[in-house]
mmCIF file of all heavy atoms in Angstrom:
data_model
loop_
_atom_site.group_PDB
_atom_site.id
_atom_site.type_symbol
_atom_site.label_atom_id
_atom_site.label_comp_id
_atom_site.label_asym_id
_atom_site.label_seq_id
_atom_site.Cartn_x
_atom_site.Cartn_y
_atom_site.Cartn_z
ATOM 1 N N HIS A 139 151.527 120.018 127.131
ATOM 2 C CA HIS A 139 150.995 120.018 125.774
ATOM 3 C C HIS A 139 151.190 118.689 125.066
ATOM 4 O O HIS A 139 151.274 118.628 123.814
ATOM 5 C CB HIS A 139 151.584 121.192 124.964
ATOM 6 C CG HIS A 139 150.904 122.503 125.296
ATOM 7 N ND1 HIS A 139 151.558 123.706 125.373
ATOM 8 C CD2 HIS A 139 149.604 122.756 125.588
ATOM 9 C CE1 HIS A 139 150.697 124.665 125.694
ATOM 10 N NE2 HIS A 139 149.499 124.109 125.829
ATOM 11 N N GLU A 143 154.637 118.309 122.299
ATOM 12 C CA GLU A 143 155.853 118.782 122.993
ATOM 13 C C GLU A 143 156.489 117.594 123.722
ATOM 14 O O GLU A 143 156.937 117.696 124.873
ATOM 15 C CB GLU A 143 155.519 119.942 123.938
ATOM 16 C CG GLU A 143 155.002 121.161 123.166
ATOM 17 C CD GLU A 143 154.663 122.369 124.042
ATOM 18 O OE1 GLU A 143 154.864 122.291 125.264
ATOM 19 O OE2 GLU A 143 154.183 123.374 123.485
ATOM 20 N N ARG A 190 148.104 117.706 121.208
ATOM 21 C CA ARG A 190 148.423 118.812 122.110
ATOM 22 C C ARG A 190 147.421 118.926 123.260
ATOM 23 O O ARG A 190 147.787 119.228 124.397
ATOM 24 C CB ARG A 190 148.451 120.134 121.308
ATOM 25 C CG ARG A 190 148.861 121.351 122.117
ATOM 26 C CD ARG A 190 148.909 122.555 121.189
ATOM 27 N NE ARG A 190 149.102 123.833 121.868
ATOM 28 C CZ ARG A 190 150.255 124.433 122.063
ATOM 29 N NH1 ARG A 190 151.359 123.857 121.620
ATOM 30 N NH2 ARG A 190 150.331 125.599 122.670
ATOM 31 N N HIS A 253 158.080 123.807 128.287
ATOM 32 C CA HIS A 253 157.387 123.697 126.991
ATOM 33 C C HIS A 253 158.433 123.613 125.882
ATOM 34 O O HIS A 253 159.628 123.706 126.094
ATOM 35 C CB HIS A 253 156.547 124.961 126.723
ATOM 36 C CG HIS A 253 155.354 125.113 127.613
ATOM 37 N ND1 HIS A 253 154.072 124.925 127.190
ATOM 38 C CD2 HIS A 253 155.247 125.468 128.924
ATOM 39 C CE1 HIS A 253 153.217 125.134 128.171
ATOM 40 N NE2 HIS A 253 153.910 125.480 129.237
ATOM 41 N N SER A 254 157.913 123.482 124.623
ATOM 42 C CA SER A 254 158.744 123.711 123.462
ATOM 43 C C SER A 254 157.826 124.348 122.397
ATOM 44 O O SER A 254 156.637 124.001 122.310
ATOM 45 C CB SER A 254 159.367 122.402 122.987
ATOM 46 O OG SER A 254 158.384 121.472 122.566
HETATM 47 ZN ZN1 LIG B 1 153.593 124.274 125.303
#
Side-chain angles (χ1 to χ4, degrees):
H139 281 143
E143 296 180 3
R190 184 177 171 95
H253 291 253
S254 63

